[in-house]
């Protein structure tokens, strides 16, 4: 291998999940296929029995619980402990929220400035914020009569869904749609777009305008 072909070390990812983890699985698959200069170092969840955590355990990926489930307060990490585990124990470079349903605490947002991504299943700023997650989002979109929807990938700040948008994709909404039909159409686009965004961040192909808008540069 010539010196010129030396590759940079892979970025270490922490993936946050709360449910089935299909976006996590799509990102993990991309790391395994060499389509992303990253590796999943740890999975974090508020629900240790969820499908995403089960997938992590089946693939030998360590899991952490944050925050602690209400019915077992001793089980989970505290805010500061979470930051220490991700930075010192697992050497995490990038945090990826993939269906995670709890608020990321300010200490973690500060520790990973411009290094936390989230995926939302609607075209932010519409249909976002507290109370807008999972099927609730698609029910609101169908009820509104909107003709387009699609995933938004954005950087995470201290509020729900208000961070700078990195990428979006558009799918049609038909007036005859049931929310489940729209959810499936959007999810398919999520699984295509999210790995491309995470790969761009791993590759250093995201730059920032002076007014704080991120730009994703495609790989040649
Ligand atoms: N600091 C941030 N944390 C999180 C963000 C973010 O943008 N900044 N995004 C969310 C993901 N998300 C939408 O993309 C989202 C998730 C959950 C909620 C919500 O209303 N949650 C409920 C609790 C739901 C539950 O426990 O079952 C609530 O807070 O009352 C809104 C948006 C992840 N974290
Ligand atoms: N507001 C956050 C939110 O609603 N996120 C959404 O939860 C689903 C998780 O599915 P997954 O666990 O199969 O990836 C995805 O559709 C994601 O966009």
């Amino acid at each position: 291998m010539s010196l010129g072909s030396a590759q940079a070390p892979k970025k270490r990812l922490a993936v946050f999940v709360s449910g089935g983890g299909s976006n996590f699985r799509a990102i993990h698959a991309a790391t395994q296929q060499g389509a992303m200069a990253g590796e999943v170092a740890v999975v974090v969840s508020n629900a240790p029995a969820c499908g995403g955590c089960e997938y992590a355990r089946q693939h030998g990926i360590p899991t952490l619980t944050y925050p602690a489930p209400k019915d077992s307060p001793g089980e989970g990490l505290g805010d500061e402990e979470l930051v220490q585990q991700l930075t010192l124990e697992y050497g995490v470079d990038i945090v990826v929220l993939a269906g995670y349903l709890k608020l990321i605490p300010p200490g973690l947002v500060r520790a990973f400035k411009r290094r936390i991504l989230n995926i939302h299943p609607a075209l932010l700023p519409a249909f976002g914020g507290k109370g807008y997650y999972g099927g609730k989002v698609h029910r609101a979109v169908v009820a509104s009569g909107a003709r387009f929807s699609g995933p938004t990938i954005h950087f995470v700040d201290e509020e729900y869904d208000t961070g700078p948008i990195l990428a979006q994709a558009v799918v049609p909404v038909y007036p005859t749609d049931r929310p489940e039909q729209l959810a499936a159409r959007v999810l398919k686009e999520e699984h295509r777009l999210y790995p491309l965004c995470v790969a761009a961040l791993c590759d250093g192909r995201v730059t920032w305008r002076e007014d704080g808008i991120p730009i994703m540069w495609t790989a040649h």
Side-chain angles (χ1 to χ4, degrees):
M1 177 174 75
S2 72
L3 284 179
S5 66
Q7 291 181 344
K10 290 180 178 179
K11 291 290 190 277
R12 292 177 62 80
L13 310 176
V15 182
F16 283 55
V17 298
S18 293
S22 70
N23 274 287
F24 160 41
R25 299 167 200 241
I27 288 164
H28 184 243
T31 66
Q32 299 291 88
Q33 293 154 7
M36 183 185 300
E39 57 189 356
V40 180
V42 60
V43 165
V44 182
S45 180
N46 59 302
C50 73
C53 287
E54 188 50 40
Y55 176 92
R57 287 187 283 267
Q58 287 169 355
H59 289 80
I61 300 169
T63 59
L64 298 174
T65 302
Y66 176 83
K70 284 197 178 72
D71 53 357
S72 43
E75 231 184 71
L77 299 172
D79 292 3
E80 289 178 17
E81 215 179 351
L82 174 66
V83 175
Q84 285 172 0
Q85 283 285 305
L86 297 186
T87 53
L88 303 178
E89 181 69 25
Y90 291 98
V92 168
D93 300 298
I94 294 169
V95 175
V96 177
L97 310 187
Y100 187 65
L101 299 181
K102 298 297 185 184
L103 194 67
I104 296 294
L108 186 62
V109 174
R110 283 193 298 272
F112 284 86
K113 185 173 171 53
R114 293 182 167 177
R115 294 189 289 155
I116 309 178
L117 289 175
N118 179 56
I119 189 164
H120 182 76
L123 297 174
L124 294 175
F127 305 107
K130 189 175 175 70
Y132 283 95
Y133 55 92
K136 292 170 183 270
V137 175
H138 304 298
R139 283 194 289 277
V141 171
V142 167
S144 76
R147 287 301 189 268
F148 293 97
S149 190
T152 299
I153 287 125
H154 65 93
F155 285 91
V156 165
D157 62 15
E158 296 190 7
E159 310 300 326
Y160 280 138
D161 301 331
T162 56
I165 291 171
L166 179 62
Q168 293 183 312
V170 176
V171 300
V173 183
Y174 302 109
T176 53
D177 269 343
R178 296 189 310 281
E180 303 74 45
Q181 290 172 298
L182 175 58
R185 202 174 299 134
V186 172
L187 193 62
K188 187 175 176 188
E189 275 303 287
E190 292 183 40
H191 295 163
R192 179 189 66 80
L193 190 59
Y194 211 3
L196 295 177
C197 291
V198 178
L201 198 53
C202 288
D203 288 347
R205 287 187 283 109
V206 175
T207 60
W208 293 80
R209 279 183 359 198
E210 283 185 6
D211 59 355
I213 300 297
I215 305 168
M216 182 165 78
W217 300 90
T218 50
H220 290 300

